[in-house]
Amino acid sequence: MGRAAAAGTGAGGARRWLRWLELCFWAAGAAAARGTDNGEALPESIPSAPGTLPHFIEEPDDAYIIKSNPIALRCKARPAMQIFFKCNGEWVHQNEHVSEESLDESSGLKVREVFINVTRQQVEDFHGPEDYWCQCVAWSHLGTSKSRKASVRIAYLRKNFEQDPQGREVPIEGMIVLHCRPPEGVPAAEVEWLKNEEPIDSEQDENIDTRADHNLIIRQARLSDSGNYTCMAANIVAKRRSLSATVVVYVDGSWEVWSEWSVCSPECEHLRIRECTAPPPRNGGKFCEGLSQESENCTDGLCILDKKPLHEIKPQSIENASDIALYSGLGAAVVAVAVLVIGVTLYRRSHSDYGVDVIDSSALTGNSLLLNPAMQPDLTVSRTYSGPICLQDPLDKELMTESSLFNPLSDIKVKVQSSFMVSLGVSERAEYPGKNRLGTFPHGNNCAFSTVHPRNKTPFIQNLSSLATRTELRTTGVFGHLGGRLVMPNTGVSLLIPHGAIPEENSWEIYMSINQGEPSLQSEGSEVLLSPEVTCGPPDMVVTTPFALTIPHCADVSAEHWNIHLKKRTQQGKWEEVMSVEDESTSCYCLLDPFACHVLLDSFGTYALTGEPITDCAVKQLKVAVFGCMSCNSLDYNLRVYCVDNTPCAFQEVVSDERHQGGQLLEEPKLLHFKGNTFSLQISVLDIPPFLWRIKPFTACQEVPFSRVWCSNRQPLHCAFSLERYTPTTTELSCKICIRQLKGHEQILQVETSILESERETITFFAQEDSAFPAQTGPKAFKIPYSIRQRICATFDTPNAKGKDWQMLAQKNSINRNLSYFATQSSPSAVILNLWEARHQHDGDLDSLACALEEIGRTHMKLSNITESQLDEPDFNYSRQNGL
């Protein structure tokens, strides 16, 4: 009985102790919530006791105060004896809490729900480093739990848009970009576009995109896209409307083909007509240029007797018949003399070096351009040409093909004929027995087809059909045991064949090419092509020591933002990864410099560099440049702004295309860092001199989507602007071209030029002129003399206990990774020097190499603490004085 009583007493005592503990903590919490002196803060935990920690069934959510209406924050937890709110680090008074208590029937645990109101005045009065916030703290027997922090902000939406959409006039199938920056608001406003007061649903029309930073993009404008566009911004507070922007999609008129010639009229003329209906101009588009009706004499000028044709004249008398006989005899005599002259001329032509004759040369004076014979255009058809031939605005249009350029017209007669056939009309075909091919092309004084600036005497017109099919640049050279260097002029691509890589008494014709067509390497996922596709061969050639291939790239090198890979194309046409630039490998070595990658390889093939951006801070380097030329209209001047990958070969393609269009570089190209943050590129023409020049409304700013710039290696990216002079006396042009990425970097091109070629300043295209010797063989191809190279290899290939070996040589030349690759080579020092040769092909900085060798010598003397005989080690000071 005593034990049972004791046990009962003990159990009752435990219950009373727990109840007392619960009341103590509840009192402490209530006192803290009331702000009394019983405690400064609620306890964060309590001693161990039976039960579980509180679990929040509902936590307070972020809330917005609209106008002056307070908001309620709620939280619910189980098991919970008490729940209090803490706002901005301070406990909310108990009187401001509304609490409800219930029992969870499934678990038997106590559930408590509490809410408080937060007013606008409380939020406005708070001045802290962060938004106004509140969180719940719940107590149970075992301890406390805290909910998430809920922020409370005052909702608003300002009235004025930061940027209203602007009206535009665009040609059919052109791109429409309407910009909209909604008013500032909390929460951020949602944007919706209206066309003629009707909502636009981009999901129903693939041609429309409204996802790009609130902007409206219509990829290919249609006539139905004309209308009034309005940007609507709304949040939980209000709705706002922007100013309406009127978009006009116009169609320029084009001429149908000429009709057949009418019958000969009594006035000895016949007519032909054409109408401006293919298509007709619409929505303010330009009406067709040129004549709608054309007439000419239909009797070769032999009109007599009140302009009646000769065959309609009826004999009136014997006198008239005599006159006809007289005139007929004179005509026959003239024809006979003409035939004799033509026969003599043809005989002389057939014995000359040229099979070409130009008829009606007086008409061609000042209106033709003689082709350079070295270009050898493939002119196989004799035709008649008329009037100036001009290249239109090349924006998003293909280069004119031969069929469109050589369209037979009827003013100036230029005939190409052989020694064996004469044609007084238009020949269908002509052969060319002579070895020098000549031809003439008509052009106007103000057209894009004009001679290049006097610094380049070679006419820029070439066979356009060959230009359209140009797919690669190529160079070759024959190399033997002494090795050499093969350079692709002005592209940044080169190949170094080391001395001894080719066995003695052997020689190979080695070639190197760059793909200028559509890249065969298709990017996967976020991967982009960072270099040209470079091919070197022959593929079956075997080398005894690695060769060095230098490939330019456009990445702003950073291991934190880029994962760069070297890839090779297989014989089946697929691309396989060779290695990541940062990986360790014994099969090849990649050294990434700021503008080029130097790769040590032992097999030929097709290689390219790709990059996978790791963060939005990954940067591609773009080269921006502006070219200009006169338009067909003598008052217009065209500006073309290019943004291409910063590789020499990409810019060379631009220069080549501009030479064929008569364009001139107006400002030295500049570098633009383009971030992978998905924001687009804007190109604007600024500071156009008023009253001297003007630009078409709504065309001074053009925007290019991010993806088009980020993957611009496929085609050179450019935007065209057309400026018009007020008077022909204006010959000077000054303006600024602003190229900037939204939320990124920008670059300014300052244009100060004369539109007259004779007064225009020459701007160099390429800083390095390496085109004089694309293939160099033997010792002259290397910067380090062969004798000194042997001494360096003999010194550093031998392992040294003091560390003076090839590893230190690599370290002093900034080669600090993947040293296991060099360890597998028969002469690590020779391979390191080959890499040095590839990196310094332009500067040939022998002083830096000599300084590195001297520093290694000083380091060795410091480590050994003795003076070594100069007979035992190479005299590097002597080497430096003699060129190293």
Side-chain angles (χ1 to χ4, degrees):
M1 288 293 294
R3 292 182 180 178
T9 303
R15 285 194 296 269
R16 286 193 299 273
W17 181 83
L18 288 174
R19 180 60 180 165
W20 175 82
L21 189 63
E22 176 182 349
L23 292 175
C24 287
F25 278 101
W26 181 87
R34 291 192 303 270
T36 63
D37 295 335
N38 292 338
E40 295 297 329
L42 293 178
E44 301 296 335
S45 62
I46 63 176
S48 299
T52 61
L53 286 174
H55 169 70
F56 282 97
I57 304 173
E58 180 182 351
E59 296 184 80
D61 294 323
D62 296 337
Y64 297 95
I65 295 179
I66 302 175
K67 297 181 179 180
S68 299
N69 300 321
I71 56 96
L73 298 180
R74 298 175 178 272
C75 63
K76 182 187 295 186
R78 68 180 178 193
M81 295 185 300
Q82 283 294 340
I83 300 177
F84 285 99
F85 272 92
K86 178 188 286 186
C87 294
N88 306 315
E90 298 181 358
W91 294 104
V92 178
H93 198 279
Q94 181 184 12
N95 295 338
E96 298 179 14
H97 291 74
V98 177
S99 177
E100 296 179 357
E101 184 177 309
S102 62
L103 188 67
D104 188 350
E105 297 180 357
S106 61
S107 62
L109 298 177
K110 185 182 296 183
V111 178
R112 184 172 293 274
E113 181 179 5
V114 175
F115 71 88
I116 62 171
N117 288 328
V118 179
T119 65
R120 183 186 184 99
Q121 188 65 40
Q122 288 176 304
V123 177
E124 289 179 345
D125 291 343
F126 174 69
H127 302 285
E130 54 187 347
D131 292 332
Y132 190 100
W133 61 268
C134 295
Q135 72 174 160
C136 292
V137 181
W139 282 266
S140 71
H141 293 292
L142 190 62
T144 63
S145 295
K146 295 181 180 179
S147 71
R148 63 179 297 273
K149 289 183 178 180
S151 63
V152 181
R153 304 176 68 185
I154 298 176
Y156 67 93
L157 183 62
R158 300 195 185 280
K159 293 184 178 181
N160 296 325
F161 278 70
E162 296 185 4
Q163 182 179 8
D164 287 292
Q166 301 294 318
R168 298 196 61 184
E169 296 180 3
V170 295
I172 194 167
E173 296 186 354
M175 176 180 286
I176 301 175
V177 180
L178 297 181
H179 300 279
C180 175
R181 294 175 61 189
E184 179 186 351
V186 173
E190 298 285 338
V191 169
E192 180 185 25
W193 283 90
L194 304 180
K195 176 191 173 186
N196 299 331
E197 302 302 323
E198 294 293 331
I200 296 175
D201 188 357
S202 60
E203 295 183 356
Q204 300 296 327
D205 191 345
E206 296 181 351
N207 194 40
I208 298 178
D209 186 1
T210 58
R211 298 170 299 176
D213 197 22
H214 306 309
N215 298 330
L216 174 67
I217 299 176
I218 302 178
R219 297 180 178 88
Q220 288 187 321
R222 303 155 296 194
L223 289 175
S224 60
D225 292 322
S226 298
N228 295 321
Y229 289 82
T230 308
C231 182
M232 292 286 295
N235 67 0
I236 59 177
V237 178
K239 290 185 178 181
R240 304 282 187 249
R241 289 173 57 98
S242 72
L243 298 177
S244 294
T246 301
V247 173
V248 177
V249 180
Y250 62 85
V251 179
D252 290 333
S254 178
W255 287 98
E256 293 181 340
V257 297
W258 285 106
S259 66
E260 297 293 333
W261 287 104
S262 66
V263 297
C264 199
S265 69
E267 286 76 22
C268 305
E269 292 182 343
H270 57 181
L271 304 175
R272 64 176 182 175
I273 61 173
R274 57 182 178 177
E275 297 182 352
C276 188
T277 58
R282 300 185 63 178
N283 295 348
K286 293 182 180 179
F287 196 78
C288 302
E289 298 179 358
L291 299 175
S292 60
Q293 179 175 302
E294 190 175 61
S295 64
E296 69 176 17
N297 189 282
C298 52
T299 61
D300 292 333
L302 297 179
C303 240
I304 59 175
L305 293 181
D306 297 331
K307 296 185 179 180
K308 289 185 178 181
L310 188 61
H311 66 275
E312 293 184 2
I313 298 177
K314 298 181 180 179
Q316 301 293 330
S317 63
I318 298 176
E319 181 179 359
N320 291 345
S322 300
D323 291 342
I324 294 175
L326 175 61
Y327 293 143
S328 300
L330 290 176
V334 171
V335 172
V337 173
V339 170
L340 179 62
V341 171
I342 292 175
V344 173
T345 302
L346 290 178
Y347 176 80
R348 296 180 61 186
R349 295 289 183 185
S350 63
H351 288 78
S352 67
D353 289 337
Y354 305 97
V356 175
D357 190 15
V358 177
I359 299 177
D360 196 5
S361 61
S362 63
L364 295 175
T365 303
N367 224 343
S368 65
L369 180 64
L370 194 62
L371 279 182
N372 186 345
M375 294 183 179
Q376 298 184 353
D378 185 14
L379 301 177
T380 59
V381 179
S382 173
R383 303 191 181 189
T384 303
Y385 307 96
S386 171
I389 299 176
C390 303
L391 287 178
Q392 300 300 322
D393 186 355
L395 179 61
D396 294 335
K397 297 182 180 179
E398 296 181 355
L399 189 64
M400 296 178 67
T401 60
E402 184 181 14
S403 61
S404 63
L405 180 62
F406 300 124
N407 188 27
L409 298 174
S410 63
D411 222 16
I412 301 173
K413 297 179 180 179
V414 181
K415 297 182 180 179
V416 182
Q417 55 190 10
S418 70
S419 309
F420 305 103
M421 76 183 286
V422 179
S423 173
L424 297 179
V426 177
S427 302
E428 290 298 323
R429 198 166 183 84
E431 300 295 330
Y432 294 88
K435 58 185 178 181
N436 290 331
R437 299 183 179 182
L438 299 176
T440 54
F441 290 80
H443 69 91
N445 294 333
N446 296 317
C447 299
F449 267 70
S450 59
T451 54
V452 184
H453 193 268
R455 59 183 168 76
N456 186 0
K457 302 298 183 182
T458 305
F460 65 86
I461 302 178
Q462 294 183 356
N463 184 3
L464 296 184
S465 61
S466 66
L467 286 174
T469 58
R470 178 187 63 189
T471 59
E472 68 175 13
L473 292 173
R474 185 182 178 92
T475 185
T476 62
V478 178
F479 298 88
H481 183 70
L482 297 180
R485 191 189 304 268
L486 188 62
V487 177
M488 188 75 71
N490 292 327
T491 64
V493 177
S494 64
L495 182 67
L496 182 75
I497 307 297
H499 181 281
I502 300 176
E504 292 190 68
E505 301 181 356
N506 285 357
S507 63
W508 286 85
E509 182 181 12
I510 298 177
Y511 63 85
M512 187 167 57
S513 65
I514 299 176
N515 177 23
Q516 287 194 301
E518 190 74 9
S520 61
L521 197 161
Q522 301 299 323
S523 301
E524 299 178 356
S526 61
E527 187 180 58
V528 292
L529 188 61
L530 298 177
S531 77
E533 297 175 1
V534 179
T535 301
C536 53
D540 57 344
M541 178 180 170
V542 178
V543 293
T544 59
T545 188
F547 61 89
L549 177 64
T550 298
I551 305 177
H553 67 80
C554 61
D556 188 23
V557 179
S558 173
E560 299 177 358
H561 306 310
W562 280 107
N563 188 7
I564 299 178
H565 307 272
L566 175 69
K567 291 195 172 183
K568 181 180 181 181
R569 188 172 62 190
T570 64
Q571 294 181 351
Q572 292 75 25
K574 296 182 179 180
W575 286 85
E576 295 180 348
E577 180 175 335
V578 179
M579 67 173 295
S580 174
V581 172
E582 298 297 326
D583 287 347
E584 299 286 328
S585 173
T586 58
S587 59
C588 67
Y589 186 89
C590 290
L591 180 61
L592 202 62
D593 279 345
F595 300 102
C597 182
H598 311 281
V599 189
L600 296 176
L601 301 162
D602 55 10
S603 62
F604 290 95
T606 301
Y607 295 90
L609 291 174
T610 64
E612 184 179 358
I614 301 175
T615 68
D616 289 347
C617 296
V619 170
K620 278 183 65 176
Q621 296 177 339
L622 302 181
K623 180 169 289 185
V624 294
V626 56
F627 289 78
C629 71
M630 291 297 296
S631 175
C632 296
N633 184 345
S634 60
L635 293 179
D636 289 352
Y637 191 77
N638 291 332
L639 295 177
R640 288 184 290 274
V641 183
Y642 288 84
C643 301
V644 298
D645 290 349
N646 184 36
T647 59
C649 50
F651 188 61
Q652 188 191 44
E653 184 176 355
V654 171
V655 171
S656 177
D657 290 343
E658 280 295 325
R659 281 175 175 166
H660 292 92
Q661 299 183 52
Q664 298 292 332
L665 186 64
L666 303 182
E667 166 70 329
E668 183 178 352
K670 294 185 178 180
L671 202 62
L672 176 68
H673 287 167
F674 189 78
K675 291 184 178 180
N677 57 9
T678 72
F679 286 95
S680 57
L681 187 72
Q682 285 186 345
I683 303 177
S684 309
V685 181
L686 309 174
D687 298 346
I688 301 174
F691 310 112
L692 295 177
W693 294 87
R694 61 186 173 190
I695 190 170
K696 188 175 181 180
F698 312 122
T699 63
C701 179
Q702 301 185 29
E703 186 162 337
V704 185
F706 168 81
S707 59
R708 181 70 176 89
V709 184
W710 193 246
C711 303
S712 62
N713 46 59
R714 299 188 179 276
Q715 292 293 337
L717 171 66
H718 77 277
C719 292
F721 301 88
S722 181
L723 306 181
E724 183 181 3
R725 294 180 288 172
Y726 282 92
T727 63
T729 58
T730 302
T731 61
E732 300 293 328
L733 172 64
S734 65
C735 63
K736 293 180 180 179
I737 309 294
C738 177
I739 305 102
R740 75 181 189 96
Q741 183 186 18
L742 299 179
K743 297 188 178 180
H745 300 274
E746 75 173 15
Q747 193 60 267
I748 300 293
L749 297 177
Q750 181 69 52
V751 175
E752 297 281 351
T753 186
S754 170
I755 63 175
L756 302 179
E757 291 188 6
S758 58
E759 300 178 6
R760 187 180 296 131
E761 181 183 359
T762 302
I763 298 177
T764 305
F765 286 138
F766 298 102
Q768 299 166 346
E769 292 294 337
D770 55 4
S771 59
F773 304 101
Q776 293 179 311
T777 60
K780 63 182 179 182
F782 303 96
K783 307 298 181 183
I784 306 174
Y786 182 66
S787 58
I788 296 180
R789 177 189 178 93
Q790 285 183 309
R791 295 170 61 190
I792 295 175
C793 293
T795 301
F796 292 99
D797 278 347
T798 305
N800 191 300
K802 302 180 181 63
K804 183 181 176 182
D805 55 13
W806 63 265
Q807 297 190 50
M808 182 172 288
L809 179 64
Q811 180 184 359
K812 295 301 179 183
N813 284 278
S814 302
I815 302 174
N816 301 314
R817 45 165 297 277
N818 198 13
L819 296 183
S820 58
Y821 172 82
F822 301 96
T824 61
Q825 306 297 322
S826 58
S827 176
S829 302
V831 179
I832 293 172
L833 295 179
N834 292 339
L835 193 57
W836 184 94
E837 290 275 1
R839 299 179 72 184
H840 298 85
Q841 60 175 313
H842 292 296
D843 55 41
D845 191 7
L846 293 173
D847 283 343
S848 65
L849 180 61
C851 290
L853 295 176
E854 290 182 22
E855 186 176 350
I856 293 175
R858 289 194 299 269
T859 302
H860 175 64
M861 294 177 65
K862 182 178 180 180
L863 291 174
S864 59
N865 199 24
I866 60 172
T867 302
E868 301 181 5
S869 173
Q870 293 185 352
L871 295 176
D872 296 333
E873 300 292 343
D875 186 355
F876 293 128
N877 289 323
Y878 173 81
S879 300
R880 187 176 184 183
Q881 294 171 2
N882 288 271
L884 180 60

